Amino acid sequence: MYEVSVDETFAAAHNLRNYHGKCENLHGHNYKVRVTLAGEELDAAGLLYDFTLVKKAIQTVIRSLDHKYLNEMPPFDSLNPSAENIARYIYHETAKQLPAPANGSGIARVTVWESDTTAATYTA
Ligand SMILES: [Zn+2]
Protein backbone atom coordinates (compact mmCIF):
# COMPACT_ATOMS: atom_id res chain seq x y z
CA MET A 1 0.00 0.00 0.00
CA TYR A 2 1.26 3.46 -0.92
CA GLU A 3 0.19 6.75 0.60
CA VAL A 4 0.81 10.35 -0.45
CA SER A 5 -0.15 13.43 1.53
CA VAL A 6 -0.55 17.11 0.79
CA ASP A 7 -0.79 19.78 3.50
CA GLU A 8 -2.49 23.14 3.24
CA THR A 9 -3.49 25.85 5.71
CA PHE A 10 -6.31 28.33 6.07
CA ALA A 11 -7.52 30.81 8.67
CA ALA A 12 -11.15 30.98 9.79
CA ALA A 13 -13.40 31.94 12.68
CA HIS A 14 -16.00 29.75 14.34
CA ASN A 15 -17.83 29.05 17.55
CA LEU A 16 -19.24 25.73 18.70
CA ARG A 17 -22.95 25.29 19.37
CA ASN A 18 -24.21 22.90 22.06
CA TYR A 19 -20.86 23.12 23.78
CA HIS A 20 -20.00 24.64 27.13
CA GLY A 21 -16.46 25.92 27.37
CA LYS A 22 -14.31 28.57 25.79
CA CYS A 23 -14.95 27.28 22.22
CA GLU A 24 -18.60 28.38 22.48
CA ASN A 25 -17.27 31.95 22.06
CA LEU A 26 -16.33 33.38 18.68
CA HIS A 27 -12.62 32.75 17.98
CA GLY A 28 -10.31 31.84 15.13
CA HIS A 29 -7.78 29.18 14.15
CA ASN A 30 -4.96 28.85 11.71
CA TYR A 31 -6.11 25.44 10.51
CA LYS A 32 -3.74 22.93 8.99
CA VAL A 33 -5.23 20.31 6.67
CA ARG A 34 -3.63 17.07 5.50
CA VAL A 35 -5.26 15.09 2.72
CA THR A 36 -3.87 11.55 2.38
CA LEU A 37 -4.48 9.36 -0.66
CA ALA A 38 -3.85 5.63 -0.69
CA GLY A 39 -3.70 2.84 -3.23
CA GLU A 40 -2.00 -0.42 -4.14
CA GLU A 41 -0.82 0.47 -7.66
CA LEU A 42 1.49 3.16 -9.03
CA ASP A 43 0.96 4.69 -12.47
CA ALA A 44 3.39 4.42 -15.39
CA ALA A 45 5.41 7.34 -13.98
CA GLY A 46 5.80 5.58 -10.62
CA LEU A 47 3.32 7.90 -8.89
CA LEU A 48 0.35 7.02 -6.74
CA TYR A 49 -1.28 10.35 -7.58
CA ASP A 50 0.03 13.61 -9.04
CA PHE A 51 0.73 16.00 -6.13
CA THR A 52 -0.09 18.96 -8.37
CA LEU A 53 -3.66 17.73 -8.96
CA VAL A 54 -4.17 17.01 -5.26
CA LYS A 55 -2.88 20.43 -4.26
CA LYS A 56 -5.11 22.15 -6.80
CA ALA A 57 -8.19 20.26 -5.56
CA ILE A 58 -7.49 21.08 -1.90
CA GLN A 59 -6.84 24.73 -2.70
CA THR A 60 -10.18 24.99 -4.52
CA VAL A 61 -11.98 23.68 -1.43
CA ILE A 62 -9.95 25.71 1.07
CA ARG A 63 -10.43 28.95 -0.85
CA SER A 64 -14.12 28.78 0.06
CA LEU A 65 -13.27 28.49 3.79
CA ASP A 66 -10.33 30.89 4.10
CA HIS A 67 -10.96 34.05 6.16
CA LYS A 68 -14.61 33.14 6.64
CA TYR A 69 -16.84 32.91 9.69
CA LEU A 70 -17.66 29.23 9.23
CA ASN A 71 -20.93 29.33 11.21
CA GLU A 72 -22.43 31.59 8.53
CA MET A 73 -21.75 29.34 5.53
CA PRO A 74 -23.27 26.01 4.46
CA PRO A 75 -23.04 23.34 5.73
CA PHE A 76 -21.74 24.91 8.96
CA ASP A 77 -24.73 27.22 9.31
CA SER A 78 -26.52 24.09 10.56
CA LEU A 79 -23.69 21.58 11.12
CA ASN A 80 -21.34 22.44 13.99
CA PRO A 81 -17.97 23.62 12.59
CA SER A 82 -15.91 21.24 14.76
CA ALA A 83 -12.57 20.00 13.45
CA GLU A 84 -14.24 16.60 12.95
CA ASN A 85 -17.00 18.03 10.74
CA ILE A 86 -14.54 20.27 8.84
CA ALA A 87 -12.39 17.18 8.12
CA ARG A 88 -15.41 15.28 6.72
CA TYR A 89 -16.47 18.29 4.64
CA ILE A 90 -12.98 18.70 3.14
CA TYR A 91 -12.82 14.94 2.47
CA HIS A 92 -16.00 14.94 0.38
CA GLU A 93 -15.46 18.29 -1.34
CA THR A 94 -11.88 17.40 -2.31
CA ALA A 95 -12.98 13.99 -3.60
CA LYS A 96 -15.46 15.75 -5.94
CA GLN A 97 -12.57 17.78 -7.40
CA LEU A 98 -10.22 14.86 -8.04
CA PRO A 99 -10.37 12.90 -11.29
CA ALA A 100 -10.51 9.13 -10.62
CA PRO A 101 -7.18 7.65 -11.70
CA ALA A 102 -6.79 4.35 -13.54
CA ASN A 103 -4.74 2.89 -10.67
CA GLY A 104 -7.78 3.03 -8.35
CA SER A 105 -6.17 5.31 -5.74
CA GLY A 106 -8.29 7.75 -3.78
CA ILE A 107 -8.54 9.79 -0.61
CA ALA A 108 -7.99 7.67 2.47
CA ARG A 109 -8.36 10.33 5.17
CA VAL A 110 -8.32 14.01 6.00
CA THR A 111 -6.80 15.44 9.19
CA VAL A 112 -7.57 18.95 10.41
CA TRP A 113 -5.41 20.60 13.09
CA GLU A 114 -6.92 23.43 15.10
CA SER A 115 -3.59 23.98 16.84
CA ASP A 116 -0.14 22.38 16.91
CA THR A 117 -1.34 19.82 19.45
CA THR A 118 -5.00 19.10 18.55
CA ALA A 119 -6.29 17.37 15.42
CA ALA A 120 -9.30 15.44 14.15
CA THR A 121 -9.24 12.86 11.35
CA TYR A 122 -12.07 11.70 9.08
CA THR A 123 -11.73 8.34 7.35
CA ALA A 124 -14.45 7.12 5.02
ZN1 LIG B 1 -12.18 26.52 17.84
Side-chain angles (χ1 to χ4, degrees):
M1 176 75 82
Y2 300 94
E3 289 191 349
V4 296
S5 296
V6 175
D7 293 0
E8 278 294 332
T9 59
F10 69 99
H14 77 162
N15 60 283
L16 296 182
R17 307 171 189 105
N18 303 316
Y19 176 83
H20 297 293
K22 59 183 185 177
C23 285
E24 68 184 308
N25 299 315
L26 175 62
H27 64 284
H29 294 285
N30 291 315
Y31 290 96
K32 183 172 121 180
V33 177
R34 174 169 296 158
V35 175
T36 301
L37 291 92
E40 299 283 354
E41 305 288 334
L42 302 182
D43 66 15
L47 304 178
L48 179 70
Y49 207 100
D50 186 342
F51 284 128
T52 311
L53 296 176
V54 179
K55 207 165 186 67
K56 199 172 146 194
I58 300 169
Q59 285 170 346
T60 299
V61 175
I62 280 178
R63 205 175 302 130
S64 69
L65 303 173
D66 194 32
H67 286 74
K68 296 283 170 57
Y69 175 32
L70 299 177
N71 296 58
E72 290 182 334
M73 56 174 287
F76 304 114
D77 52 350
S78 57
L79 183 70
N80 225 9
S82 61
E84 291 86 337
N85 282 332
I86 294 169
R88 187 179 63 184
Y89 173 80
I90 292 173
Y91 180 104
H92 291 295
E93 293 303 308
T94 304
K96 282 184 206 167
Q97 303 285 330
L98 284 174
N103 67 1
S105 64
I107 301 179
R109 64 187 165 274
V110 172
T111 299
V112 171
W113 282 263
E114 283 194 345
S115 71
D116 289 342
T117 55
T118 55
T121 298
Y122 178 76
T123 307

